[in-house]
Amino acid sequence: MPLPPDPERQGDDGDDANGCGAGAMRMMLRAVMDTAKTNETIRTGRAQELWASILGHLKPEAAYFSPHDGCRACVIVFDMQDSTTLPVLVEPFFQEFGARVEIAPCMDRDDLMKGLAQVAGGH
């Protein structure tokens, strides 16, 4: 299930100081994929097409792939422009890979230091 183009995603022109687009939130998606379903996706030759579509749509800051609990897994850090895009982002993981998916806001080091400075300044 290829992802549709996202008109909200534009180049780096709207980036804020943290590298996220204006109004965007840095998110971390963790997916642990069902082995049998993912094996079938690989056997049919769809895996490369799906990953190209997923990563092309997300334009991740980082994407890592590794085994986790004996299954294929990934961690992808990307900017989410609008929470209404969540179903479009995660459905390929459910439908094509039978994945368990977690998604949460995350910070890089600069974000953490900025947040801690705000906390310290508020006390």
Side-chain angles (χ1 to χ4, degrees):
M1 169 180 178
L3 296 167
D6 184 353
E8 297 291 317
R9 307 263 312 159
Q10 298 177 7
D12 294 333
D13 299 337
D15 284 359
D16 66 14
N18 295 321
C20 293
M25 180 167 291
R26 183 177 285 116
M27 304 296 286
M28 183 175 355
L29 180 146
R30 294 182 195 136
V32 178
M33 292 155 269
D34 177 75
T35 300
K37 192 153 186 173
T38 304
N39 283 347
E40 184 60 24
T41 304
I42 292 169
R43 264 194 295 280
T44 62
R46 290 212 4 96
Q48 285 181 296
E49 173 189 338
L50 289 166
W51 281 114
S53 176
I54 290 166
L55 296 173
H57 186 75
L58 292 177
K59 297 177 178 72
E61 176 181 320
Y64 300 99
F65 303 86
S66 66
H68 180 77
D69 287 337
C71 296
R72 292 177 183 94
C74 66
V75 174
I76 302 173
V77 178
F78 66 99
D79 295 338
M80 181 181 283
Q81 301 297 322
D82 183 341
S83 62
T84 62
T85 63
L86 187 59
V88 173
L89 299 175
V90 299
E91 279 305 317
F93 290 96
F94 296 138
Q95 293 180 22
E96 303 289 349
F97 299 116
R100 294 187 324 265
V101 177
E102 298 175 9
I103 190 165
C106 65
M107 298 179 285
D108 64 12
R109 179 184 173 189
D110 292 339
D111 294 339
L112 176 63
M113 293 299 131
K114 183 177 177 182
L116 291 173
Q118 290 174 358
V119 169
H123 285 100

